[in-house]
Amino acid sequence: MITETGVLCLCATPIGNLEDMTFRAVRMLKEADLIAAEDTRNSIRLLNHFDIHTPMTSYHEHNRIEKGHALVKKLLEGKNIVLITDAGMPGISDPGEDLVRMCHEAGITVTAVPGACACVTALAVSGQHTRRFCFEAFLPSDKKERAEVLSELAEETRTILLYEAPHRLKKTLAELLERLGDRRLSICRELTKRYETVWETTLQEACTLYESQEPKGEYVLVLEGKPREERIRKRQQDFQKMTPGEHMRLYEEQGMDRKTAMKQVAKDRGVSKREIYQALLLEE
């Protein structure tokens, strides 16, 4: 007998204010065969508040492989499972992404009940540019990997979103100031909660403030990207250190024909193709 597979539903939960729970989310949690929660001790309070009595199991960073296979097996047997995290949208900066991948590989349908998400909420209220942004979540704890990510962010022109815990905030702000230079910054704290604050400031001002004040609560940092004009100017400065001939060879070695390479070199250096052509003649 062929059993129809179940559905994995990613269900967003409030990031602070229980009134942000949707009617559909409550219904899906009540109708599911099983709820997989990041922390059952935390989630039981949510379920009790909405009178939800569906069986619950844990699924978190430390059991995601073993428990993931067990959940996929139940889904293949026809069970419908709802995945929830402690707060916000499952799969965003949490092990839910691994379970989603496993379900896709097994041919299991994955759906979602949208709702609260801290990074999007912070971006919306930050006052920063919202058309283009990148989400980095928590910076890596590994020193080498962290340095690599900070180097990448230093050149990022989109608005940057980061999560940070209070005990690491001072260090992170200092590193961002050192590696990225002073930038506009919106510090979003305790979003949707009683003491929610959104502070538009700069990296330098924030570092100065927290020298005398201890951070409290959970933070989302919304940081201005590097101005595109500045990035273009830096690239042009780097290219000026090369001769036009060296610049040409850089592109020709990448497979560009001479005409296309000359056009790109002229664009990089902010001059006409004729000037590049004449400079190349002088180098010969």
Side-chain angles (χ1 to χ4, degrees), residues 32-44:
D33 295 303
L34 180 67
I35 296 170
E38 181 179 7
D39 187 335
T40 56
R41 294 166 302 178
N42 179 69
S43 295
I44 193 64

Side-chain angles (χ1 to χ4, degrees), residues 15-58:
I15 59 176
N17 193 320
L18 286 178
E19 292 180 5
D20 292 334
M21 191 73 168
T22 68
F23 292 116
R24 183 180 171 215
V26 172
R27 177 175 64 81
M28 293 296 285
L29 286 166
K30 287 184 175 182
E31 294 178 355
D33 295 303
L34 180 67
I35 296 170
E38 181 179 7
D39 187 335
T40 56
R41 294 166 302 178
N42 179 69
S43 295
I44 193 64
R45 294 193 290 271
L46 175 76
L47 301 188
N48 287 341
H49 182 83
F50 290 102
D51 196 28
I52 298 169
H53 304 288
T54 305
M56 181 168 52
T57 188
S58 66

Side-chain angles (χ1 to χ4, degrees), residues 74-87:
K74 289 183 179 295
L75 287 159
L76 290 173
E77 292 171 352
K79 303 294 184 182
N80 291 317
I81 299 175
V82 171
L83 177 67
I84 58 175
T85 185
D86 283 347

Side-chain angles (χ1 to χ4, degrees), residues 88-103:
M89 192 70 196
I92 304 299
S93 188
D94 86 353
E97 67 173 295
D98 296 307
L99 182 57
V100 170
R101 191 177 304 111
M102 292 170 72
C103 285

Side-chain angles (χ1 to χ4, degrees), residues 100 183 187 199 216 226 283:
V100 170
R183 302 265 186 99
I187 298 182
W199 180 32
K216 295 180 180 179
K226 183 176 183 178
E283 287 187 36

Side-chain angles (χ1 to χ4, degrees), residues 134-274:
C134 69
F135 174 56
E136 191 61 43
F138 291 94
L139 289 173
S141 56
D142 178 79
K143 190 173 181 179
K144 182 179 179 181
E145 185 182 359
R146 190 180 182 94
E148 291 173 351
V149 170
L150 286 169
S151 293
E152 293 172 0
L153 293 179
E155 299 302 316
E156 178 59 68
T157 59
R158 295 170 294 179
T159 299
I160 301 164
L161 289 99
L162 299 166
Y163 287 162
E164 196 48 279
H167 64 281
R168 291 192 300 262
L169 183 66
K170 291 182 181 181
K171 176 185 176 182
T172 296
L173 289 173
E175 286 180 311
L176 289 170
L177 179 60
E178 179 185 356
R179 300 296 296 273
L180 279 64
D182 202 13
R183 302 265 186 99
R184 287 178 58 225
L185 169 70
S186 296
I187 298 182
C188 303
R189 173 181 168 274
E190 296 290 272
L191 289 170
T192 77
K193 300 176 185 176
R194 181 179 179 183
Y195 296 108
E196 171 182 294
T197 56
V198 178
W199 180 32
E200 292 187 66
T201 181
T202 66
L203 278 170
Q204 182 64 69
E205 287 179 355
C207 286
T208 301
L209 172 74
Y210 287 114
E211 285 177 1
S212 58
Q213 180 176 314
E214 281 301 313
K216 295 180 180 179
E218 298 299 319
Y219 292 84
V220 183
L221 307 178
V222 187
L223 187 62
E224 176 185 37
K226 183 176 183 178
R228 302 185 78 178
E229 297 78 9
E230 181 183 338
R231 186 171 182 177
I232 292 170
R233 190 161 52 247
K234 184 178 182 302
R235 280 174 56 85
Q236 288 180 342
Q237 290 172 349
D238 290 340
F239 287 135
Q240 292 299 334
K241 297 174 184 177
M242 308 166 66
T243 67
E246 291 171 335
H247 201 160
M248 282 284 293
R249 285 192 291 276
L250 177 69
Y251 287 122
E252 288 177 328
E253 288 172 0
Q254 295 176 14
M256 280 191 188
D257 60 70
R258 191 166 180 79
K259 183 178 179 181
T260 304
M262 190 178 298
K263 181 179 179 181
Q264 186 60 51
V265 168
K267 181 179 179 181
D268 288 344
R269 300 170 86 92
V271 299
S272 67
K273 287 189 294 182
R274 181 180 179 82

